[in-house]
Amino acid sequence: MLKASFQLNRSLTNSHIKYVIARGFGSSWAEDFNKASGKICGDAPFNESANRLRELCKTDLVKGTDIRDAPDRFFKAHRILARHAVNAGPGFWVRFTVHYNLFAGTILGVGSDEQVAKLADYQKNGQLGCFALTEKLAGVQSGLVVQTTIEWDEGAQKFILNTPNEGARKNWISQGFTADKAVVVADLLVGGKSMGPHAFVMDFRRDGKLLPGISVDDMGRKTVGNDLDNAWIHFDKVELDKSAMLSKYAEINDENEYVLKTKGIRPFDMIGQRLYTGRIAVGQSALEYRRHIFKKTKEYSDNKPIFSFSGNRVLSSIPQLAAIYEENDEKLRDIDAFILSCEASLSDSIRSGATPSPKLVEAIATCKVKAVEESIEMCFRLKQEVGSYALIDDAGFGNMDFLQACKFAEGDSRILMQKMARDRFKQFVSTGGAGEDFTAEETKFCSKLGANIAASASKGVDKLQAWENEWRLVYKLAEAVMARVQANWDHGINDESCA
């Protein structure tokens, strides 16, 4: 693996080398941001935590348009906040990424020029946003389903936002008790016909009070991150102006007709691109948390004397602990370089206005899953080897559920792996495994999956149930897919990175 990491780093293109240098130029910015965000307290009431983010917004150290204009700064801010999460917990990190990536990023991605321009006003005024997408019956494990409706009322020239049933309530909405604004994703109905999920920006609170027709309640106390408010939201026929629809790619025209403004681009596909920036940010933050907790632990174990008949020894010299430190360093080199390359390719795509290619999308999903799952494994194993130190409050192990949040944020690991396996299996079936660069492992698992599903079908089992029955094999196939993607990723910005 060490050899692979050296090969990986040598394969970085000149474009990526320039990108790496560019990431380092803002050392004074990083110091300023670290100082401005250094007052985070995981025990703070959520209103106090929200006010800290308002203050941070007003500094202009990170702007709502940075995803497009300064993506390196956007990603670096997430990494810095992840270091704070070791001791302060993940609450503020989540609050930050919801506001900047999901709320502001969606407006930037699918909003009109006028709507994007308002981001500067929100920032100046310290107004925070939430992102209302997930619903009670459509959480991270069930995939994306949107039952919340928003109907165009031609007579009133208004949109009517409604929660038709309890299962359609927006669920686990971070910043739901403190946000001034909201981006809401709802099924758009025009003339009684569904146009699919679309995004709308709305006032959520005015002078600290919810708008009429909006009700919220608390999701309950969490294991970590209780400085972050999480709410369910119910809309009862809330009226929104025509201007609420994020209208870069679609709008309701003067004839009350739904119009796609760019042929071949569905607004919801562009909303989904915030998941790509989010997956990079989540993966990198999991790595940063892991890096920091390993660093703190090693500093402790390097200076912790232990009894020995053969002279002075420290805890770090215990073979199993020395081995896990070495293993972690080696694995971090590989995944760091992979995710950096994906970040650079995605940033290049965003700057050019291009849509990320399927190859890049798959690589981003892979690096997110690998970074998070590997970090969970390595941090848990480290915890088992350091004795009572793991129980010390400021050691950071008590906030390891930050990694649990990373696991399901911006695409649950299991859902992403299901998609990887399903897509690869479909390719195998359609081509017989020919011409698709299948590895031996992929071919083995696809062949076995096909045989097992066929055997189940002969017994009257439908295909979906047969697929679920083979879940162990499905995840083995996904692991094989990710291994191929990471091994074959060229780590370069090229024509295949964008479409």
Side-chain angles (χ1 to χ4, degrees):
M1 185 178 292
L2 185 58
K3 180 181 178 182
S5 70
F6 288 152
Q7 290 174 339
L8 185 152
N9 281 299
R10 283 202 301 269
S11 68
L12 290 174
T13 65
N14 287 335
S15 296
H16 279 105
I17 292 170
K18 291 176 182 177
Y19 183 78
V20 172
I21 293 171
R23 293 174 81 209
F25 81 92
S27 58
S28 61
W29 174 90
E31 291 171 4
D32 290 343
F33 184 81
N34 192 47
K35 182 177 180 181
S37 60
K39 297 179 181 179
I40 297 169
C41 175
D43 296 326
F46 61 72
N47 280 310
E48 184 178 321
S49 176
N51 286 336
R52 285 187 175 136
L53 182 55
R54 295 181 202 280
E55 293 168 5
L56 185 61
C57 288
K58 291 177 183 179
T59 66
D60 268 355
L61 286 166
V62 181
K63 296 181 172 64
T65 54
D66 275 357
I67 290 178
R68 179 194 65 198
D69 301 335
D72 52 308
R73 188 163 59 196
F74 167 84
F75 289 117
K76 193 167 190 176
H78 281 82
R79 292 193 297 275
I80 290 172
L81 291 177
R83 294 171 204 158
H84 295 318
V86 171
N87 291 115
F92 195 84
W93 183 94
V94 176
R95 188 183 296 284
F96 178 89
T97 199
V98 164
H99 177 75
Y100 278 101
N101 183 55
L102 296 178
F103 171 74
T106 300
I107 294 172
L108 184 64
V110 296
S112 66
D113 290 344
E114 293 79 7
Q115 289 165 330
V116 170
K118 289 183 180 179
L119 288 173
D121 294 331
Y122 302 159
Q123 182 131 352
K124 180 181 177 181
N125 297 328
Q127 293 175 305
L128 304 183
C130 64
F131 184 70
L133 170 60
T134 52
E135 297 179 357
K136 186 175 182 179
L137 292 185
V140 294
Q141 289 288 359
S142 59
L144 181 58
V145 179
V146 177
Q147 294 186 66
T148 301
T149 61
I150 187 159
E151 186 168 8
W152 175 243
D153 185 328
E154 183 176 334
Q157 291 290 291
K158 299 276 188 182
F159 289 107
I160 310 300
L161 178 62
N162 195 52
T163 303
N165 55 67
E166 187 175 321
R169 283 177 172 171
K170 297 300 184 181
N171 220 39
W172 279 103
I173 306 306
S174 297
Q175 213 149 250
F177 276 88
T178 54
D180 308 288
K181 306 284 182 179
V183 165
V184 180
V185 179
D187 183 17
L188 174 59
L189 305 175
V190 181
K193 182 180 178 181
S194 171
M195 299 299 168
H198 285 67
F200 298 78
V201 61
M202 62 180 292
D203 287 338
F204 198 65
R205 286 181 176 81
R206 293 187 187 131
D207 299 323
K209 296 181 180 179
L210 289 168
L211 264 64
I214 302 176
S215 55
V216 302
D217 206 350
D218 197 347
M219 295 302 302
R221 187 167 177 81
K222 306 177 289 289
T223 57
V224 292
N226 287 295
D227 54 323
L228 173 70
D229 42 312
N230 293 96
W232 59 251
I233 304 173
H234 189 103
F235 301 104
D236 186 10
K237 298 179 180 178
V238 178
E239 292 188 355
L240 301 182
D241 291 337
K242 189 177 184 180
S243 60
M245 183 176 177
L246 293 177
S247 56
K248 182 176 182 178
Y249 295 103
E251 66 179 0
I252 305 297
N253 66 16
D254 292 339
E255 286 72 44
N256 297 294
E257 299 168 328
Y258 174 80
V259 178
L260 279 175
K261 299 167 77 171
T262 304
K263 186 177 180 180
I265 296 182
R266 299 182 306 166
F268 191 68
D269 293 336
M270 306 311 291
I271 295 171
Q273 292 204 34
R274 289 291 66 76
L275 294 176
Y276 307 147
T277 49
R279 285 168 189 166
I280 293 289
V282 167
Q284 288 184 335
S285 296
L287 295 179
E288 205 63 40
Y289 179 96
R290 164 182 164 191
R291 191 184 336 273
H292 199 61
I293 205 168
F294 264 81
K295 179 177 180 288
K296 279 173 63 79
T297 304
K298 192 169 188 303
E299 287 173 352
Y300 163 79
S301 62
D302 282 349
N303 293 282
K304 175 66 171 70
I306 59 173
F307 176 79
S308 172
F309 288 106
S310 58
N312 296 330
R313 291 188 68 187
V314 294
L315 187 61
S316 291
S317 67
I318 293 177
Q320 62 268 28
L321 192 53
I324 198 172
Y325 286 145
E326 183 178 356
E327 179 186 351
N328 185 62
D329 287 345
E330 189 174 311
K331 286 183 173 180
L332 273 175
R333 280 192 290 269
D334 281 344
I335 193 65
D336 270 338
F338 180 38
I339 203 168
L340 167 62
S341 178
C342 289
E343 178 196 327
S345 292
L346 180 61
S347 296
D348 209 53
S349 172
I350 292 170
R351 286 192 184 99
S352 68
T355 300
S357 69
K359 177 182 176 183
L360 178 55
V361 170
E362 187 176 47
I364 289 170
T366 296
C367 68
K368 189 265 182 181
V369 173
K370 296 289 284 184
V372 172
E373 297 301 325
E374 190 180 274
S375 295
I376 290 172
E377 177 199 354
M378 296 305 295
C379 289
F380 179 79
R381 286 172 53 195
L382 178 65
K383 184 180 179 181
Q384 311 315 303
E385 303 296 347
V386 292
S388 59
Y389 173 75
L391 300 177
I392 301 299
D393 184 59
D394 68 356
F397 290 100
N399 287 315
M400 272 178 55
D401 274 354
F402 171 56
L403 298 177
Q404 186 69 22
C406 290
K407 184 183 180 78
F408 59 74
E410 319 303 8
D412 183 83
S413 293
R414 291 296 194 185
I415 296 297
L416 293 177
M417 292 172 74
Q418 281 275 347
K419 185 179 188 308
M420 293 175 199
R422 185 177 65 248
D423 290 349
R424 198 58 168 162
F425 182 66
K426 285 181 178 178
Q427 290 175 349
F428 181 84
V429 170
S430 64
T431 66
E436 289 288 346
D437 192 28
F438 279 82
T439 64
E441 286 286 280
E442 288 176 307
T443 299
K444 178 178 72 174
F445 294 136
C446 283
S447 297
K448 192 171 183 180
L449 257 178
N452 290 358
I453 290 174
S456 294
S458 69
K459 299 175 184 177
V461 180
D462 67 68
K463 288 184 177 180
L464 178 59
Q465 186 59 55
W467 177 269
E468 291 188 352
N469 291 345
E470 299 298 327
W471 64 270
R472 292 180 180 85
L473 198 54
V474 167
Y475 290 125
K476 287 181 180 179
L477 173 57
E479 291 285 358
V481 170
M482 290 190 292
R484 171 185 53 80
V485 169
Q486 185 172 357
N488 293 348
W489 180 248
D490 61 13
H491 313 292
I493 301 175
N494 53 46
D495 293 339
E496 295 183 354
S497 297
C498 313

